[in-house]
Each structure stands twice: as C-alpha cells, then as structure tokens.
Amino acid sequence: MLSEKKEQLKRELSAALGNHPFDLILRNVRLVDVYSEQIRTASLGISGERIVAVDPPPDAPAKEIVDCNQQYALPGLIDTHVHVETTLLTPEALADVLTPWGTTTLIVDAMEIANVAGKEGLEALISDPDALSYRIYLAIPSRVPTAPGLETTGATLGVAEVAELLQLPQSASLGELDPAKILQIQDPYLEKILEALRLGRICNGHAIGLEPADLNVYATAHLADDHECVTPEELQNRLRVGMAVMIREGSSERNAKTLLDGVVAAALPTDSLMFCTDDKHVQDIAKEGHISFNVQLAVDAGMDPLKAIKMATLNGARHFHLEHEIGSLAPGRYADIVLTGDLKRIRPTRVYKSGRLVAENGSRISPYKPKAYPEHLFETVILPPGLSEQSFALKAEGDKATCRVIRLIENQIINKGERVSMPVTHGEVKADAAQDILKIAVVERYGKNGQVGLSFVRGFGLKTGAMASSVSHDHHNIVVVGTNDRDMLLACRQIESMQGGFALACEGRVMASVALPLAGLMSMKPAEAVIADMAALNRAAAEAGCRLDAPFMTLSFVSLPTVPELGLTDLGLVDVLSHQLIDEICEP
Amino acid sequence: MLSEKKEQLKRELSAALGNHPFDLILRNVRLVDVYSEQIRTASLGISGERIVAVDPPPDAPAKEIVDCNQQYALPGLIDTHVHVETTLLTPEALADVLTPWGTTTLIVDAMEIANVAGKEGLEALISDPDALSYRIYLAIPSRVPTAPGLETTGATLGVAEVAELLQLPQSASLGELDPAKILQIQDPYLEKILEALRLGRICNGHAIGLEPADLNVYATAHLADDHECVTPEELQNRLRVGMAVMIREGSSERNAKTLLDGVVAAALPTDSLMFCTDDKHVQDIAKEGHISFNVQLAVDAGMDPLKAIKMATLNGARHFHLEHEIGSLAPGRYADIVLTGDLKRIRPTRVYKSGRLVAENGSRISPYKPKAYPEHLFETVILPPGLSEQSFALKAEGDKATCRVIRLIENQIINKGERVSMPVTHGEVKADAAQDILKIAVVERYGKNGQVGLSFVRGFGLKTGAMASSVSHDHHNIVVVGTNDRDMLLACRQIESMQGGFALACEGRVMASVALPLAGLMSMKPAEAVIADMAALNRAAAEAGCRLDAPFMTLSFVSLPTVPELGLTDLGLVDVLSHQLIDEICEP
C-alpha cells in the first residue's frame, strides 16, 4: 500500500519536474485560488490522479491539452455532512445527479445503513471507490443505535467496532453525536471521542437546539462542529465555543438563507463555516443543485463568491484534516476540478475527479451501472408475525383522553409536542383526519421483537389512506401515518413485499409505491427513474390530501428520537430532551 | 492512558454541567474570540487543565475567582517552528524568558539534539512535560543527518525511527524537509512523508529560495508550509501552491516586517499565515519579546490586532491539527491564557498554562530548576586525536590561488559564494583579516573520523583571534573562524574542555567563552546567566573587531550545508543547490 503510494508519488514528482509528460493540462483557466483568494489566468498540469503543477511551462508536453477559454476553474465542491442513503439512491446512482453539479467529495455519515446492517453494510457502501465519480470520506457513525434502550435496530456499533472503523483510510471523523450522550456523560461515547482524537480524527456534532450553557458542555467534549443551526444567533453561539458550523441546505431543512443573511449582516469571519446538505432528495438536487446551491445562496446573500467557494472547498477540507488531498487547486491535491462560466450560478461545463472527466454540460460521462451488493442487504424487512389492523389500535379508557400529538413545524426537522383531548370510542382513540390528527405507528422490522409504537401526528394533512416508509431515522423500522388502521396495515404489507420503500394506500388499495430494496433504504434504479417514481408517489400523496412538499422525507424524520420535542420508535413515544419513553396518552 | 483521559474528561464535563465547582474562574475579561473575530466582555470557567465554560453562570462556585478588570484575555501564543536548542537554554531554563511573553506552545523541531544524540536525545528533551510552563509539540526531525554523505553527525534517524517517533502523542508533524531531497526524488524522504500523512500528521517545508517551478514539485510532495520566505513575492508564490507560510522573526532572520508589509499591501487573506521564531537568541527574546513581537510587528504593519493574534494562535493550531487542544479560548481547549492590558504591545500581566498561573508581570512564578539529563548527553565533544595548528592549513600550489569565499549577507541566513584571488605563501593560503577574509573550519567532534573541512569566509570582520562553536547547523561539529590557525586551535580546545559551547581566543589566550555542555548545544544555567555570559562574549568578539550583532548565531549557521549558496562541513565545502562537495580552491 505504502509502496504503491510511493510509486505514484514518484511518478507525480517526475511529471512535476518535467521528466515525463503530464497526463492532462488545462490551459487558459481563470483559476479560483482559495489560498490567495485571487482569481487569475493560469493553467494546471495533472499527472495521474493529482494536480502537480500550477502554470507548468507553456511548452510542456501532455497526453491531453484542453483549452478552457477563460472558464473559471474551481476546486471540486465538498458536502461536509451527508447521509447518502437518504437520497434513496446507491452512491453509484447518486453520481448521475451529484457529479454534474460539481460536488466531488462527500463526507458521508452512513449511519442509516449501519443501523440496518452494521459494519458490513457500511463497508459494502464504500467498496470500489474508484468506480465512483466523486470521493467518499467517512464520518464513522458514533451512535448505532441512536437511542439505546429506546429503539430496536438491525445492528449496533460498539466502541471496539467504531475504533476499528476509525482506522479505515477513508475515515475522516467520528460521526455526529447527539447532545444527550454528552450531557448525561455516557462512557461509551466519551471513549469513542477519545479514540477518534487519538487517531487524529475530528468529532462531528449535532447540537440541535443547544443553548450556550449546554454548548459549553458539548464543546468541552471536543465536538467540533454543528450542522443543525437554524438561526444566526445559534450560529454565533457555536462559533463562540469554538465550533465550526456547516450551513445546511437540505430538502426539509432549508437553513442556508437565514444563516447566510446573518453571517453577512454581522460581518462574521467565514473560515469556520462550510456547507452541507445532510438530507436532500434527489429530485431537489436535480432541480436546484447540490453544494452549488449553497454557494448560490451565499452569493445571493451578498457574500463574495470567492469566500463562498472557499466555504464549499478549502474550509471543509481543513476542518477534516484533508487539506493535503482536497479543497484547492494546488499541487499534491487530487485533480477534482470544476469548470464553469459563472461563479454566481455554478453550472459546470466540465467536472473532473482525480483528473478524469466525469461530467460535461450537466451530464455524467459514464452512465450509472449498478454495483453488486451482498445478497442479505436485500432481505432486511421482517414484519412482526401477527401484524394486523389491531396492532394499530390505540387503547384508552373512559369517554375522552388527553393524547400527545407530534406537531410538525414547516420546513424544519424539529417538532412540537401538543396535548389534545380526543374522544374514546369502543375503548380506542381513532385518527381524526378532519382536524389533521393522524395516527402514527412505528413497526419493528428486523424480526427481533415485533414491537409497534403508536401516537398521533399533526401536519401531514392526509384526508384519506396511509403512507408508510422503511426509511425512518435512525432506527429504520417502518413508520406509517394514516387516517385509518386498515390502510396503515396495507401500506406496511406493501413495504414488506418490496423489502423496503415508500407506499401510499387508500381505501384498501395501494395507490403508489417506490421500492427501496437495498437495506430498505435505497433503490437500485437510476436517478431519473427514482425521481419519476417519487414524483408519482408525491402526486398520489397530494391527491390524498397531504400538504407537504416532501411528504416521505418528512415521514422519515418525524419519528426520530433525537430531534426535539417528541420522537416515536417501535418501543413507544420518546420525550427527546429527557431521553425517556413516555405514555402516548397523558394521565387524566 | 485512555482511561485516565476519560476520567479527566468526565471531571471537566461535570464541572461544565455545574455538578461541582470550577477550579478557576477568570471574570470580567475582554475575551479575544478568534472564531467570531470579536472582542467582548466575558468570563472563563476552568476545570483541571482545560477551559470548560465561556460565561459560566454568574454565581457559579469556584476554588479561585480572579477579577481581571477588563484586561484582554487571549489564547496562549504559538511558535509554529522553533529549534529550542538554539536558544542555548534547556527547555526548562527557556521558560523563564518565554513564558512572561505569553508564548505557551512551541512546535519544536529538535533536529539539533537529534543530530548529536538521536532519538534518545530527543526524548530526553521532552521528558517531564508537566514541569514546563509551556507545552511542546514535536516536529519529528526528517533529516538527521541533513546532508547524508556530506557531513558527519553524532546520530542518524532512519525511516523506521522517524515512523516510530511520529506516533508519539506529542508528535504534530514531520519536521522541515529541505527541497533537495524532493527535487532529487529520494526514496527515504518520500517514505517519511507518506508515513506522516498516514498518521494524520502534516509535513513541514523549508522552501528556501524556491521559485514557482520547484515549488510545484515541492508542494506535490505534500510539504505544507514554509518558514523561509524573505520577500512578499515569495510568500505569495507559496500561497499559490497551497502552502501555508510561517512568518519568521528570529535573531538573524528578521523577515517579519517585510512580509507583513507585503501581506497588508496586497490585502492577502491571513488564514494560511502564522508566526515563528525558528532561531532566536535568548537575549533578544528577553529584550523585545517572542511571538508577541511578531504580533507587534503585524500591528505596526497595519494589521487588525485580532487578525494578528489569530495568526499567532488559531491559525497555527489548525494547521497542525491541534485545534481541539490549543489556539483559542473555547471549551475543551487547554487553559493557556494570556492577560494583557494592550493588544498592540502585548505585555502579559498574567500567563496561564493548563489553568496554572505560570508568569505574572514579566516574571515566571516558579524559578528555573535544572532537570536531570542522562550523563552521556554531557560527553559529546571528542576532537580528532591529532588536531593541531597544521590541521587548519589550507594548502595550495603556485603563487596565487582562486579561493572560494562564503560571503555573509546581513540579517539573512543565506550567503553568497565568491571567488577571490589570494596569495600562496609556503604552499598555504592564509586568512587576510585586512580584507576581512577569514579562515573557516569545521572539525568533526563525535570521535568518528577526525575530519576537518576548510574554506574562507567574509563578513565577520574579526581583526584578531578566532571564534569557535560546537553549535553548527545541523551537524553540530565544531565550526571555527579565525585570523590565524593558532587561535583557531585554541578556541577548539576550549570548547573541548567545556564539552561544548562558544569560545573566543586571541593571541594565544581564551578571551571569553560560554559553556554549553548539554549535547554541546545547551547551557545548564538559568536564562539571565546565559544572557550575561553571551553579552560578555559578544563584547569580547566586538573588541576583536567582529561587526555582527549576533556573531555566534551567525557562526553557527554559516556552515549549514542546506542554505545557499555555500556550506561547509567536516567533509569540506558544499555547493548547496547541487548538493555536492566542491574544492575550496577553484581550478586555475
């Protein structure tokens, strides 16, 4: 390994010295130099996978010379925090949408597949990296399960497994750790943190809703960043405890404009700021862009495009100790290069990864080819043996019951816990679609204990039917929301038959569904097929009354037991801040 | 080790949570926040060695509460590249001068003691770190010897030893690698680089005199910084290949003003800039300051004090992947804190290391106590058995000879190679003090082969006598410059009798000397004694006609075989750029 790297380095040095031809020269670019913060006409010499010369001699020989006609050349963009599985695509298929937008590096916290299939699932996801048109570094999942004792997952990652994974060459950090583990001083998480630091890795935070007093505790534990800021004040509070901020623009979490306006208004320094998507649906990526969209929002907020691009490149590379590999167009770095005619609206004309052309004018060079994954990753949905309509019955006594209701907050991942008085009929509280109070259930899907957690949710707006998903953060049991128990059951059965996915059932019929058979999280289809399938599914959900833009993304997050105020797992309703199971029906 | 760290972390978290009292609270400081780039009134809560809260609750209990009366609190200053041995003091004694100026971290490339005594010498230097009033991280010496085949050293560090040292918890980087090794693609150095990168360490450069074409090669090899810039153009050229720049202000190398003027004039970003001293004599530190002086020069050049302090703190911490430990006053970081009434002229009123008060109003709290070093580190000077006046005779034929002369350049480490026609008398070329052409010799001092290298040097200005030093970069043989061979021999003998040091001999008498018995590099005396001894020695040198400000610092660098144009070792005269031994007398 080391000797192979040495031979590569020797070839690169030899090319840099002019001892043999470059593989590629990009001539006549307007180079976006994130170190000098200057844009100047230059050329780039590439050998193998790396840039080895800025402004090589004008007569230097090369296997290929491209005149770039004064297009801007910028470093490949970096998504500093993303759960690749939530795009619903395999990394291979995701490339079709991602690469044309100039994103060449993802820092992937693959906690989703890890919760379903553990270390093996995780390793399957990153096998054969050279076949990809972007590079993946791993944020090693720190919490599998996310809420031990409060949820059932397909697999767990203990301290020893995390320590082992942190040593992978692709490992860049310990993945996002939620504050409860720190505020409660839980040993295994401190051990994971110290092991990461010992290995020179940073520790990613997830400081959702944290106020300064708790941020002190969190930063004391060496959590180095946060991607959960929603207000400029939160952003400032994180900088003040020495945390970097990943400004997120996902499908549900659209935080970038507010945060960037705040950064510009307060004239904050940007060296501790970077960009991420966290969770962004593939149709949104295809429509508006990826990290390129975060850059666009920054420029729209009044930021110097060079600073915005630096946030999308060098700042993230530095933060993850990857400055020698990515984040700039300097010698020694991978030749991950984006050519574009416009810095303010990045529309790449060419994208290179490791010196190889991977996209041109909005399209990938090589179309998607499915990769072989281990068989058992396609067999992960095992419903409770006796699952029936009765499994969704929410029992209560008397005439009325004060029920807890998870109320969605538009465009945000957090929710509010409400108490609503509801009638009890035949010993049961039913959903009340007229008031937009739907039943929500989480059904254990790993064949482990067959538990079903039940509660109510407000905000989906469904007038009829039920929608279910095997994507259900972070435990990825089946979450189902519905106006009636029969359709809830049917939607679950449809997911079982697909071995994962999304389904909408109305009045006894499956109206639409999308199969996600890889770990119950990802499709094996190409991006455009999934986009079309999702569009049809979302149309069907709208027809059933759902008012949300991305109803299945919202569905997949609504039960998350680590995002305040309420979560729901197969074990029941979770009060997130106290990290405890609570009754779905309040004491009278 | 991990379990001890975990218990510490738990105590820190517990204090941050308010579960037990802080050890120290600094109230009412003007906090220099290098993340937000803001200065605001705040307080800091400290538990054990670390900051655990910014603005703890006003009524939070603490073992000690200090009202800081609106003094500025800034992070302890970082010297990003220093050879601690060239201060002539042990790290323990150096603390007396360093600490009062607010420097709390040194990134030490201890290549000097490594050249004399190898891994063992290096480890002796950093033993008992808690007793020090500042912290040391190691840049693991990459080139021991610096010029293999061109010099004799006391020890060598091969690839395996370097790899082992890189794994020390204190290791922060692979130490400065000179360009020749890269431009000549020498395998062992590439192996050291790749091993450092594999372990998450950066690689320090030493890009002296490199032009853009060679910088491309150098940066391709992942050399991440340079501390040898002397012009703003050089600084810009390094940024353009993605290298950070350490702006140096040493005793001989006074580069800061020129570089900082250039940075301000070109409005360059400062996030890739940091400060170092490299080699600074203790009397200069005592007189003008340490990294505080670099900050002062930056402010004088027109830089925002906050940016200047960020260069002296966070930027370096980030560059070396130490952001979680040092460089800011944020939770989780060591409580290395400087209190001062003035940001533009930093005169610390209090300095804390790890939450412990280590200096107050210009003085250390605990006076210097010598540490025990292994016996054999005091027995490192073994002169060639037959050393005599004749050993210094420079033989030539005919009446005249064209001799090479090393011409010093004022205030710089580089020199020029001149050719001067000199008379030959009785088959010898003698020094010519009238023309300021002195003889220079390097005498092997490890008892290995007894070689003596000879040449001429111009710029010392000595009218009589000879000056010798066992500090002689990087091989640390004895370098001696003189007007006559007898005094040269006497000066060498004086060094032998002291087992290391500096000596001035005139007309058969030792006029002054300073003993440096630890590895022939360092005194065991306290700082003020060494300052007084050095002052007396320098006065004596001035009386002998020497015109230099720091004659023995210059003497110790003049023979360096890696700084252009000429070097001299025990094996002879070295043409630095071609990395070859050349004749001291040119072909007729």
Side-chain angles (χ1 to χ4, degrees), chain B residues 280-362:
Chain B
K280 191 163 184 173
H281 267 180
V282 59
Q283 56 270 41
D284 292 334
I285 300 174
K287 193 170 62 181
E288 66 194 21
H290 194 245
I291 294 302
S292 56
F293 188 60
N294 300 53
V295 172
Q296 179 175 320
L297 292 172
V299 174
D300 289 349
M303 197 172 279
D304 175 3
L306 231 157
K307 290 274 188 198
I309 288 166
K310 192 164 176 170
M311 287 168 67
T313 57
L314 181 60
N315 293 3
R318 243 178 208 165
H319 183 65
F320 282 93
H321 303 170
L322 296 170
E323 191 178 349
H324 62 297
E325 301 285 37
I326 56 170
S328 66
L329 298 183
R333 280 67 166 188
Y334 286 116
D336 297 349
I337 307 170
V338 177
L339 297 178
T340 174
D342 185 354
L343 283 190
K344 297 180 183 176
R345 294 277 177 282
I346 296 173
R347 299 286 179 276
T349 53
R350 285 181 159 228
V351 180
Y352 292 87
K353 179 219 173 188
S354 297
R356 188 163 55 87
L357 185 67
V358 288
E360 197 163 16
N361 297 319

Side-chain angles (χ1 to χ4, degrees), chain B residues 254-549:
Chain B
R254 298 203 163 263
N255 310 126
K257 183 176 180 335
T258 308
L259 296 179
L260 290 161
D261 284 346
V263 169
V264 171
L268 289 174
T270 55
D271 57 318
S272 302
L273 305 179
M274 54 207 76
F275 291 129
C276 75
T277 59
D278 202 352
D279 294 291
K280 191 163 184 173
H281 267 180
V282 59
Q283 56 270 41
D284 292 334
I285 300 174
K287 193 170 62 181
E288 66 194 21
H290 194 245
I291 294 302
S292 56
F293 188 60
N294 300 53
V295 172
Q296 179 175 320
L297 292 172
V299 174
D300 289 349
M303 197 172 279
D304 175 3
L306 231 157
K307 290 274 188 198
I309 288 166
K310 192 164 176 170
M311 287 168 67
T313 57
L314 181 60
N315 293 3
R318 243 178 208 165
H319 183 65
F320 282 93
H321 303 170
L322 296 170
E323 191 178 349
H324 62 297
E325 301 285 37
I326 56 170
S328 66
L329 298 183
R333 280 67 166 188
Y334 286 116
D336 297 349
I337 307 170
V338 177
L339 297 178
T340 174
D342 185 354
L343 283 190
K344 297 180 183 176
R345 294 277 177 282
I346 296 173
R347 299 286 179 276
T349 53
R350 285 181 159 228
V351 180
Y352 292 87
K353 179 219 173 188
S354 297
R356 188 163 55 87
L357 185 67
V358 288
E360 197 163 16
N361 297 319
S363 296
R364 267 190 77 195
I365 295 297
S366 311
Y368 164 56
K369 269 187 293 195
K371 188 174 86 173
Y373 284 89
E375 273 297 311
H376 66 274
L377 292 182
F378 296 97
E379 297 156 353
T380 63
V381 177
I382 304 165
L383 289 192
L387 193 73
S388 70
E389 284 183 41
Q390 267 306 303
S391 307
F392 299 105
L394 216 157
K395 311 276 198 226
E397 289 171 8
D399 289 349
K400 288 188 162 197
T402 304
C403 299
R404 295 189 199 267
V405 176
I406 303 167
R407 183 165 59 77
L408 304 183
I409 300 174
E410 208 169 352
N411 293 335
Q412 288 193 30
I413 189 173
I414 54 173
N415 62 60
K416 283 284 166 194
E418 289 184 338
R419 293 165 186 231
V420 177
S421 174
M422 295 180 71
V424 179
T425 318
H426 304 304
E428 266 187 55
V429 188
K430 302 266 187 186
D432 181 353
Q435 288 195 67
D436 186 21
I437 298 178
L438 306 186
K439 198 178 278 175
I440 179 167
V442 172
V443 181
E444 193 271 325
R445 68 124 148 157
Y446 301 106
K448 291 195 169 175
N449 56 36
Q451 300 263 14
V452 178
L454 289 171
S455 188
F456 291 101
V457 66
R458 185 175 243 174
F460 278 91
L462 219 55
K463 295 297 174 201
T464 175
M467 43 197 286
S469 167
S470 59
V471 182
S472 178
H473 297 278
D474 297 323
H475 45 74
H476 300 302
N477 291 298
I478 291 174
V479 60
V480 53
V481 161
T483 62
N484 69 83
D485 298 348
R486 186 176 63 141
D487 287 337
M488 288 173 78
L489 178 64
L490 180 57
C492 290
R493 289 283 173 219
Q494 173 63 14
I495 286 177
E496 181 185 35
S497 74
M498 301 184 294
Q499 278 300 298
F502 299 138
L504 177 78
C506 293
E507 294 167 33
R509 280 182 55 205
V510 175
M511 307 303 287
S513 65
V514 172
L516 303 171
L518 182 61
L521 299 172
M522 288 167 275
S523 172
M524 292 306 287
K525 291 187 181 177
E528 65 263 38
V530 175
I531 292 175
D533 291 354
M534 285 302 298
L537 178 68
N538 287 341
R539 270 195 307 276
E543 280 163 20
C546 183
R547 297 182 306 245
L548 298 169
D549 289 340

